[in-house]
Protein backbone atom coordinates (compact mmCIF):
# COMPACT_ATOMS: atom_id res chain seq x y z
CA UNK A 1 0.00 0.00 0.00
CA UNK A 2 0.96 3.63 -0.33
CA UNK A 3 1.15 6.40 -2.88
CA UNK A 4 0.18 6.88 -5.60
CA UNK A 5 -3.51 6.63 -4.71
CA UNK A 6 -6.23 6.82 -7.33
CA UNK A 7 -9.81 8.04 -7.04
CA UNK A 8 -12.97 7.97 -9.12
CA UNK A 9 -16.55 9.14 -8.56
CA UNK A 10 -19.48 6.77 -9.14
CA UNK A 11 -19.98 7.86 -12.78
CA UNK A 12 -16.32 8.33 -13.67
CA UNK A 13 -16.59 12.03 -14.61
CA UNK A 14 -14.20 13.01 -11.82
CA UNK A 15 -10.93 11.18 -11.21
CA UNK A 16 -7.76 11.89 -9.27
CA UNK A 17 -4.24 10.62 -8.71
CA UNK A 18 -2.53 11.47 -5.42
CA UNK A 19 1.25 11.19 -5.34
CA UNK A 20 1.94 11.52 -1.64
CA UNK A 21 0.88 10.18 1.74
CA UNK A 22 -1.98 11.78 3.68
CA UNK A 23 -1.08 14.10 6.57
CA UNK A 24 -4.04 12.75 8.51
CA UNK A 25 -7.00 10.37 8.23
CA UNK A 26 -10.11 11.14 10.26
CA UNK A 27 -13.74 10.35 10.70
CA UNK A 28 -15.91 13.49 11.08
CA UNK A 29 -19.32 13.51 12.73
CA UNK A 30 -20.18 17.19 12.23
CA UNK A 31 -23.70 17.99 11.05
CA UNK A 32 -22.57 18.99 7.56
CA UNK A 33 -20.70 15.70 7.16
CA UNK A 34 -23.86 13.85 8.18
CA UNK A 35 -25.63 15.67 5.34
CA UNK A 36 -22.90 14.73 2.86
CA UNK A 37 -22.82 11.09 3.99
CA UNK A 38 -26.60 10.58 4.20
CA UNK A 39 -26.62 10.31 7.99
CA UNK A 40 -23.31 8.97 9.27
CA UNK A 41 -19.79 10.28 9.57
CA UNK A 42 -17.54 11.10 6.66
CA UNK A 43 -14.17 9.37 6.54
CA UNK A 44 -11.47 11.49 5.01
CA UNK A 45 -7.80 11.55 4.09
CA UNK A 46 -6.10 14.94 4.11
CA UNK A 47 -3.61 15.30 1.28
CA UNK A 48 -1.36 18.16 0.25
CA UNK A 49 -2.68 20.16 -2.72
CA UNK A 50 0.67 19.76 -4.47
CA UNK A 51 0.26 15.96 -4.44
CA UNK A 52 -3.24 15.93 -6.00
CA UNK A 53 -3.93 15.74 -9.73
CA UNK A 54 -7.68 16.14 -10.23
CA UNK A 55 -9.54 15.68 -13.51
CA UNK A 56 -13.14 16.64 -14.23
CA UNK A 57 -15.67 19.33 -13.37
CA UNK A 58 -16.79 19.82 -9.77
CA UNK A 59 -19.86 21.38 -8.20
CA UNK A 60 -19.09 23.26 -4.98
CA UNK A 61 -20.88 24.50 -1.89
CA UNK A 62 -19.21 26.90 0.57
CA UNK A 63 -20.35 27.81 4.07
CA UNK A 64 -19.13 29.15 7.42
CA UNK A 65 -18.58 26.14 9.69
CA UNK A 66 -18.98 25.91 13.47
CA UNK A 67 -15.18 25.88 13.68
CA UNK A 68 -15.23 29.47 12.35
CA UNK A 69 -13.57 28.38 9.11
CA UNK A 70 -15.09 28.68 5.66
CA UNK A 71 -15.52 25.20 4.23
CA UNK A 72 -15.97 24.47 0.54
CA UNK A 73 -17.33 21.04 -0.33
CA UNK A 74 -16.95 19.58 -3.80
CA UNK A 75 -19.13 17.01 -5.53
CA UNK A 76 -19.44 15.38 -8.91
CA UNK A 77 -22.24 17.40 -10.58
CA UNK A 78 -23.45 14.30 -12.44
CA UNK A 79 -23.55 11.52 -9.84
CA UNK A 80 -23.30 13.49 -6.56
CA UNK A 81 -20.30 11.61 -5.17
CA UNK A 82 -18.66 13.70 -2.43
CA UNK A 83 -15.14 14.39 -3.71
CA UNK A 84 -13.39 16.63 -1.21
CA UNK A 85 -13.50 19.57 1.14
CA UNK A 86 -11.20 22.52 1.69
CA UNK A 87 -10.94 24.71 4.77
CA UNK A 88 -9.92 28.37 4.80
CA UNK A 89 -7.71 27.46 7.78
CA UNK A 90 -5.74 24.89 5.78
CA UNK A 91 -5.50 26.14 2.16
CA UNK A 92 -2.55 23.81 1.44
CA UNK A 93 -4.64 20.70 2.16
CA UNK A 94 -7.66 18.97 0.63
CA UNK A 95 -9.82 16.53 2.54
CA UNK A 96 -10.63 13.68 0.16
CA UNK A 97 -13.63 11.48 0.93
CA UNK A 98 -12.96 7.79 1.33
CA UNK A 99 -15.93 7.08 -0.97
CA UNK A 100 -14.08 8.88 -3.76
CA UNK A 101 -10.79 7.00 -3.26
CA UNK A 102 -10.45 3.73 -5.15
CA UNK A 103 -10.64 0.58 -3.08
CA UNK A 104 -7.44 -1.06 -1.92
CA UNK A 105 -5.86 2.16 -0.64
CA UNK A 106 -5.15 0.60 2.76
CA UNK A 107 -5.80 3.82 4.71
CA UNK A 108 -7.87 3.90 7.91
CA UNK A 109 -8.96 6.67 10.28
CA UNK A 110 -6.91 7.34 13.41
CA UNK A 111 -9.25 9.92 14.98
CA UNK A 112 -12.95 10.73 15.27
CA UNK A 113 -13.82 14.44 15.41
CA UNK A 114 -16.90 16.59 16.16
CA UNK A 115 -18.32 13.95 18.50
CA UNK A 116 -20.44 16.73 20.08
CA UNK A 117 -22.63 16.54 16.95
CA UNK A 118 -22.70 12.74 16.56
CA UNK A 119 -26.15 11.12 16.85
CA UNK A 120 -26.86 9.10 20.02
CA UNK A 121 -26.73 5.82 18.10
CA UNK A 122 -23.28 6.48 16.68
CA UNK A 123 -20.73 3.76 17.41
CA UNK A 124 -17.20 5.12 17.69
CA UNK A 125 -14.27 2.72 17.45
CA UNK A 126 -12.58 2.95 20.90
CA UNK A 127 -9.20 2.69 19.19
CA UNK A 128 -9.68 6.13 17.62
CA UNK A 129 -8.39 9.34 19.19
CA UNK A 130 -11.48 11.37 20.12
CA UNK A 131 -12.21 15.08 19.74
CA UNK A 132 -15.52 16.66 20.76
CA UNK A 133 -15.00 19.51 18.30
CA UNK A 134 -12.32 20.67 15.84
CA UNK A 135 -8.88 19.18 16.60
CA UNK A 136 -5.62 21.06 16.12
CA UNK A 137 -4.50 21.33 12.50
CA UNK A 138 -2.24 18.55 11.27
CA UNK A 139 1.36 19.42 10.48
CA UNK A 140 1.96 21.01 7.10
ZN1 LIG B 1 -19.64 11.33 -11.00
ZN1 LIG C 1 -17.37 17.23 9.28
Amino acid sequence: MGAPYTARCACGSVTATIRGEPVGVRQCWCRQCQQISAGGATTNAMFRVADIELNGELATHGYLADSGNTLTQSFCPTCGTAVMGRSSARPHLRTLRFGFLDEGHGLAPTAAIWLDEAPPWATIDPALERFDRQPPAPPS
Side-chain angles (χ1 to χ4, degrees), residues 55-119:
N55 299 292
E57 296 275 322
L58 293 174
T60 61
H61 170 234
Y63 59 91
L64 186 62
D66 289 346
S67 60
N69 303 322
T70 298
L71 294 191
T72 305
Q73 310 293 2
S74 301
F75 306 86
C76 172
T78 302
C79 70
T81 296
V83 171
M84 65 181 180
R86 70 176 288 181
S87 169
S88 57
R90 295 175 287 282
H92 61 294
L93 299 177
R94 294 292 180 274
T95 300
L96 269 64
R97 311 299 177 198
F98 260 34
F100 177 56
L101 294 177
D102 287 336
E103 288 180 299
H105 53 68
L107 301 171
T110 59
I113 71 173
W114 284 99
L115 296 177
D116 271 2
E117 298 186 358

Side-chain angles (χ1 to χ4, degrees), residues 9-13 76 79:
C9 69
C11 76
S13 300
C76 172
C79 70

